[in-house]
Amino acid sequence: MNRRTPALLAILLLGLLPAIPGGAFASEYEYLPTPLKSAIDAQGLPPGSVGLWIQRAGDNAVLAQLNADRLFNPASTLKLATSLAALDQLGPDYTWKTELWAVGELREGVLDGDLVVRGTGDPGMVNEEHWRMLGQLRQAGVERIAGDVILDASHFDVGPQDPSVFNGKPLRAYNQGVYALHVNSNAHRIRVRPGRNGEAVRVSLDPPLPDVEIDNRLRPGRGRCGDFQRGIEIDADRSNGRLTLRGEYPVHCGEYELLRSVTEPERNHAGLFRLHWSQWGGELDGEIRPGRMTPLQEEPLVTHRSRPLADLIRVSNKWSSNVMTRHLMLSLGAERHGAPVTKERSRQALLQALRELDVNPGGMRVDNGSGLSRDARMSPYQLGQILKAGWEHPLRPEFQSSLALAGVDGTLRNRFNNGAERGHMHLKTGHLREVSAVAGYVRTQSGDDVRVVLLVNDPRAHIGLGRSLQEAVLGWVRAL
């Protein structure tokens, strides 16, 4: 069998195997080289639970396919669709604005009125940038705000959000909703450190929000370092700013960090405003509250611009940030339909962007655009078409480099460290209960570039079977 034979067989099979209702193919194995079939069988996975699409980039030859038109939950590989659409529609140099408006006169350093902070959903606003933004406010001549600070996050109109809905874990950073004035994606580092001689356990919060009270009930212990959260139980009253930690902490394990969300987004922004404004020597007489107000001035006091989109998708894709990717989809909607943007309009904008990239989104369900969903659906072929569109796009370098590099960074930093795959695969991973997914680009040993999609939806997919199959499939492709 020569090198082109698999491509010819794949083409024949695509033409001879019509899809039956529901998107499933009539055959169990459509075109699957023996090593890949054996890998699926070795995991004990039913063929219907696996979706596969492997295609060479140079000549579009299909090297393997299984259930290519069946809809699967793609988990975080859905971020490929959102990030490519954003890159295509908004451009690599697109930035988000956060504006500070005066509502009142500024005289001799005193703003005699309110300050409006108006956001457009900057997905990359972090401590340092927020601090610098308030430094610009001081440089604009404001020393004291005599009125209130009004947080205007009306750019997004998404309605009530409950971070516990997905899996009952509202403190997890990946579960946080969208907010047009997010800072740090509403995530906080809880640092736990044994005291001297192991006689106490200290707890601190980074950033140190002034209006969050820490109730430290941790006791020194001698447990195992590998225990879940090292024996720490966390509870947070997000509305009232109270963080409680209980349990016995194994002091011989040293310092430990947990990334959690301990406040509501508005309270987080308000706390950081107080903290950073005071660090610049600024004063505030009034309250910090949500609201929407139309300033009378023609220009804002300060306009802060985010890092460009090409930089931010490297964060959102490599580290699989759900919050950042959801902001990308809403920003697509805002640019196409105007603000305030709804979730439905942002979904429409994403699907339209895919059509313009020659990707057929028929049957696709994108939900929130991040893949953190039980309802999202996409076929391996559709995801393969997204990879194809990204490969052929003028901005391919920006798109491809936003994916995790095997054995080097992002979600793949601890995988393929010592194998032949290290440094030769740009991939987006996905992991949910009953879902394991990977998609991206692999450079083979013979120098070809291959697009790979592997989606597994099975009750056991998340407990190791899906990951083992990923390694088998990616290893086979790399060895071509």
Side-chain angles (χ1 to χ4, degrees), residues 452-471:
V452 180
V453 177
L454 173 62
L455 306 178
V456 182
N457 288 186
D458 182 87
R460 302 162 297 160
H462 63 290
I463 58 174
L465 300 186
R467 180 163 171 160
S468 295
L469 185 57
Q470 287 179 17
E471 292 171 356

Side-chain angles (χ1 to χ4, degrees), residues 22 69-75 77-78 81 351 354 360-368 371 373-380 382-383 386 432-435 455 457:
D69 279 355
R70 183 174 295 174
L71 295 175
F72 289 80
N73 187 326
T77 58
L78 180 58
L351 295 177
L354 292 177
N360 182 356
M364 188 185 298
R365 284 178 284 181
V366 298
D367 199 357
N368 54 44
S373 169
R374 302 294 181 200
D375 300 321
R377 293 293 183 272
M378 185 180 292
S379 74
Q382 288 172 324
L383 197 44
I386 290 167
L432 294 174
R433 179 172 51 83
E434 302 186 359
V435 180
L455 306 178
N457 288 186

Side-chain angles (χ1 to χ4, degrees), residues 145-430:
I145 303 168
D148 294 339
V149 173
I150 299 172
L151 303 179
D152 185 350
S154 60
H155 196 75
F156 294 161
D157 180 16
V158 296
Q161 300 177 91
D162 182 356
S164 67
V165 167
F166 181 72
N167 60 2
K169 298 179 179 180
L171 305 187
R172 297 287 179 163
Y174 61 77
N175 271 332
Q176 301 314 300
V178 297
Y179 179 61
L181 281 169
H182 261 323
V183 185
N184 302 320
S185 294
N186 201 36
H188 312 90
R189 294 191 182 278
I190 303 171
R191 289 198 171 96
V192 180
R193 180 182 301 172
R196 183 174 296 179
N197 301 322
E199 296 176 355
V201 182
R202 297 195 295 267
V203 177
S204 61
L205 192 66
D206 181 18
L209 297 176
D211 54 352
V212 173
E213 177 186 355
I214 298 177
D215 183 5
N216 178 14
R217 303 183 189 181
L218 289 175
R219 305 180 303 277
R222 305 297 301 177
R224 296 182 304 173
C225 300
D227 286 346
F228 176 68
Q229 293 186 174
R230 294 191 178 176
I232 300 173
E233 298 178 16
I234 302 176
D235 184 35
D237 183 344
R238 287 161 48 91
S239 298
N240 296 311
R242 184 179 180 85
L243 174 65
T244 303
L245 292 90
R246 303 180 181 86
E248 289 191 1
Y249 182 76
V251 293
H252 61 283
C253 297
E255 188 173 337
Y256 185 56
E257 284 188 1
L258 301 99
L259 189 66
R260 297 290 185 268
S261 175
V262 303
T263 67
E264 299 291 348
E266 288 169 353
R267 191 180 188 93
N268 178 52
H269 195 122
L272 288 171
F273 190 100
R274 291 187 186 280
L275 175 66
H276 294 155
W277 185 233
S278 66
Q279 289 174 345
W280 281 105
E283 299 177 53
L284 172 62
D285 295 349
E287 304 291 329
I288 302 179
R289 56 185 175 86
R292 185 175 183 180
M293 185 175 293
T294 303
L296 301 177
Q297 286 78 7
E298 293 183 359
E299 298 290 336
L301 292 172
V302 173
T303 299
H304 174 273
R305 289 195 173 271
S306 72
R307 287 173 287 166
L309 184 147
D311 286 353
L312 293 179
I313 63 169
R314 287 175 59 85
V315 179
S316 61
N317 277 342
K318 283 183 181 291
W319 298 99
S320 204
S321 171
N322 297 317
V323 178
M324 293 180 71
T325 310
R326 293 178 68 181
H327 276 220
L328 292 182
M329 190 175 82
L330 285 164
S331 298
L332 275 174
E335 288 297 320
R336 188 175 286 268
H337 299 291
V341 63
T342 64
K343 289 189 288 186
E344 182 55 36
R345 285 188 173 181
S346 68
R347 291 189 196 103
Q348 294 172 5
L350 174 55
L351 295 177
Q352 182 57 36
L354 292 177
R355 293 186 188 96
E356 293 172 12
L357 287 165
D358 293 326
V359 176
N360 182 356
M364 188 185 298
R365 284 178 284 181
V366 298
D367 199 357
N368 54 44
S370 74
L372 187 71
S373 169
R374 302 294 181 200
D375 300 321
R377 293 293 183 272
M378 185 180 292
S379 74
Y381 177 74
Q382 288 172 324
L383 197 44
Q385 290 303 103
I386 290 167
L387 290 173
K388 182 175 185 290
W391 185 262
E392 296 174 350
H393 201 282
L395 297 173
R396 182 182 98 193
E398 285 74 19
F399 180 63
Q400 184 175 0
S401 65
S402 77
L403 308 184
L405 187 58
V408 176
D409 61 17
T411 58
L412 292 176
R413 65 196 181 281
N414 296 322
R415 296 180 65 184
F416 308 105
N417 300 72
N418 302 312
E421 298 87 0
R422 187 180 192 276
H424 295 282
M425 303 189 299
H426 286 89
L427 304 172
K428 182 72 202 74
T429 58

